[in-house]
Amino acid sequence: MSEPVSDEPVGELELVHAFTGPMPTGVSVSHSGRIFVNFPRWGDEVPATVVELRDGAEVPYPDERWNRPAGDDDPGAFVSVQSVVVDPVDRLWVLDTGSPMFQPTRPGGPKLVRIDLGSDTVAQVITFPPDVALPTTYLNDVRFDLRRGEAGLAYITDSAVAGPNGIIVVDLATGTSWRRLHDHRSTKAEPLSRFRPVVEGRPLLQRPADGPPSPLTIGADGIAISADGSRLHYCPLASRQWYSVATDALADVSTSADEAAATVIHEGDKGTGSDGLEADDVGRIYLTAYEHNAVLRRRPDGEYETVVHDPRLLWPDTLSVAVDGHLYVTANQLHRQPSFQRGRDLRRKPYALFRTRIDAGPVLLR
């Protein structure tokens, strides 16, 4: 009797690194091939919240001192990092939530830190005033356009689970920051009546050890800047919809909330919930498909295609396009955490960093 037909993978995944400690979220690759990864403080023991992968080892980066905060409001050390991103001129930026275990933030904790990869030293620390990084703010991911202003702009998603979502814009020359699309409907999680995610064939809800289940409430999460820098794409984690907004409207501090909102475009239904977004230099937008163990991309002609689909892609989280022509992706089994599994930790180590060849490069707006 022949074997039944089974689900077939698409594309090829190369294992770059297996993680046997805490779960990773962000990854970024320098122009010379150095790989940086971060581990938010969500309950695992986290010896270092930012590391460089060197000869198979996870080395605290830029050093151990920067990974030992004195408190959740320490502006001189990393508190709980959600994202690391190499910018268009090959500098590493570290996005620190200042929010271990999603606790309320305090000024000094949430920050954007620039590290010089030539000297492996911190060159700039940008903290946020309390009307920009709110107590509820969760700084999630960041993209750069270095052509704007004196030193460029950064765009950051606020994926707050219990507060206003939005986009935070940062002037890298002055450190000044401001909120855009504050609590706009496009940045918010969708209610269970419109979005009911299914991961590994099972409905995904917040399921505490005691108490009733509740829907995911994570808002604007994934972020990608278009190849020409004119549009910023973003998506709530708890939604299958995605959106874009004109970067001109984000960048101009004199733009009113209504004027900025008028430039928002509904980009459509992705067919999946997504955690990470990314773009390449030939105009394609990539999205993780955590409901399908896959990475998809939308071509400039509007067609979607599957880049990779693999049973090992258990919760593909962050995407990073590198100059080596590969797309890197972390898979961290986020949905198997105790908070989704009635207090049981169903994650099975190792977690993984994969890459797949895409024959394109990163968006380098410089």
Side-chain angles (χ1 to χ4, degrees):
M1 186 173 177
S2 59
E3 286 291 318
V5 176
S6 64
D7 190 7
E8 292 187 358
V10 176
E12 293 185 6
L13 278 181
E14 176 188 349
L15 179 64
V16 177
H17 186 80
F19 301 90
T20 58
M23 60 186 291
T25 55
V27 60
S28 198
V29 183
S30 78
H31 299 180
S32 63
R34 299 171 68 181
I35 301 174
F36 303 93
V37 176
N38 65 268
F39 311 90
R41 291 189 162 101
W42 286 348
D44 291 339
E45 181 181 347
V46 178
T49 190
V50 179
V51 304
E52 180 179 2
L53 302 183
R54 297 180 191 163
D55 300 321
E58 300 163 18
V59 180
Y61 192 81
D63 53 38
E64 290 191 5
R65 185 189 68 78
W66 263 94
N67 282 278
R68 289 200 304 266
D72 292 355
D73 58 351
D74 188 347
F78 302 139
V79 177
S80 178
V81 172
Q82 179 67 25
S83 187
V84 286
V85 177
V86 171
D87 76 6
V89 292
D90 208 27
R91 305 173 300 186
L92 182 70
W93 293 85
V94 175
L95 188 61
D96 188 353
T97 67
S99 177
M101 301 296 292
F102 299 96
Q103 295 298 305
T105 66
R106 292 186 289 163
K111 54 188 169 288
L112 183 62
V113 178
R114 173 165 60 89
I115 301 176
D116 182 333
L117 294 181
S119 61
D120 295 320
T121 57
V122 170
Q124 185 178 10
V125 177
I126 298 173
T127 57
F128 300 91
D131 61 341
V132 174
L134 313 173
T136 55
T137 286
Y138 194 85
L139 303 177
N140 196 292
D141 208 350
V142 59
R143 296 294 180 267
F144 298 91
D145 185 343
L146 301 185
R147 306 168 306 172
R148 290 185 178 270
E150 184 182 333
L153 294 182
Y155 305 99
I156 300 170
T157 43
D158 179 352
S159 66
V161 299
N165 301 110
I167 306 292
I168 294 171
V169 187
V170 187
D171 183 320
L172 300 178
T174 64
T176 305
S177 56
W178 54 96
R179 294 182 70 90
R180 281 283 178 258
L181 302 182
H182 175 75
D183 214 28
H184 188 266
R185 60 178 180 78
S186 67
T187 68
K188 303 190 73 60
E190 292 203 281
L192 202 58
S193 60
R194 293 206 301 268
F195 175 64
R196 188 177 291 273
V198 176
V199 184
E200 282 198 272
R202 301 171 179 87
L204 179 67
L205 293 167
Q206 293 275 3
R207 298 182 189 273
D210 49 8
S214 60
L216 305 184
T217 57
I218 301 169
D221 186 321
I223 186 173
I225 194 163
S226 63
D228 64 1
S230 66
R231 308 288 299 178
L232 189 75
H233 295 261
Y234 58 95
C235 64
L237 183 135
S239 174
R240 295 188 186 101
Q241 313 303 311
W242 63 325
Y243 304 86
S244 71
V245 62
T247 49
D248 283 347
L250 301 178
D252 185 350
V253 292
S254 67
T255 302
S256 71
D258 287 344
E259 288 169 335
T263 73
V264 171
I265 292 174
H266 178 216
E267 297 285 346
D269 188 318
K270 300 181 272 80
T272 179
S274 299
D275 197 324
L277 294 181
E278 185 56 293
D280 67 22
D281 56 5
V282 295
R284 300 175 296 193
I285 307 290
Y286 297 76
L287 48 115
T288 62
Y290 63 70
E291 294 188 84
H292 303 293
N293 305 337
V295 175
L296 311 179
R297 70 182 168 205
R298 190 184 69 182
R299 304 189 314 229
D301 64 6
E303 285 295 313
Y304 287 75
E305 56 192 9
T306 302
V307 179
V308 285
H309 163 57
D310 192 291
R312 296 172 295 169
L313 270 180
L314 288 170
W315 200 280
D317 191 315
T318 297
L319 297 170
S320 179
V321 175
V323 297
D324 64 10
H326 288 88
L327 177 72
Y328 289 74
V329 57
T330 52
N332 59 19
Q333 304 172 48
L334 181 150
H335 61 292
R336 292 181 174 182
Q337 291 180 99
S339 59
F340 301 107
Q341 304 294 339
R342 296 189 177 89
R344 297 173 299 157
D345 189 352
L346 301 185
R347 298 173 298 171
R348 293 206 303 271
K349 297 176 184 179
Y351 313 112
L353 171 62
F354 298 108
R355 71 177 186 175
T356 188
R357 179 163 288 282
I358 59 168
D359 296 318
V363 174
L364 299 175
L365 302 173
R366 57 192 180 190

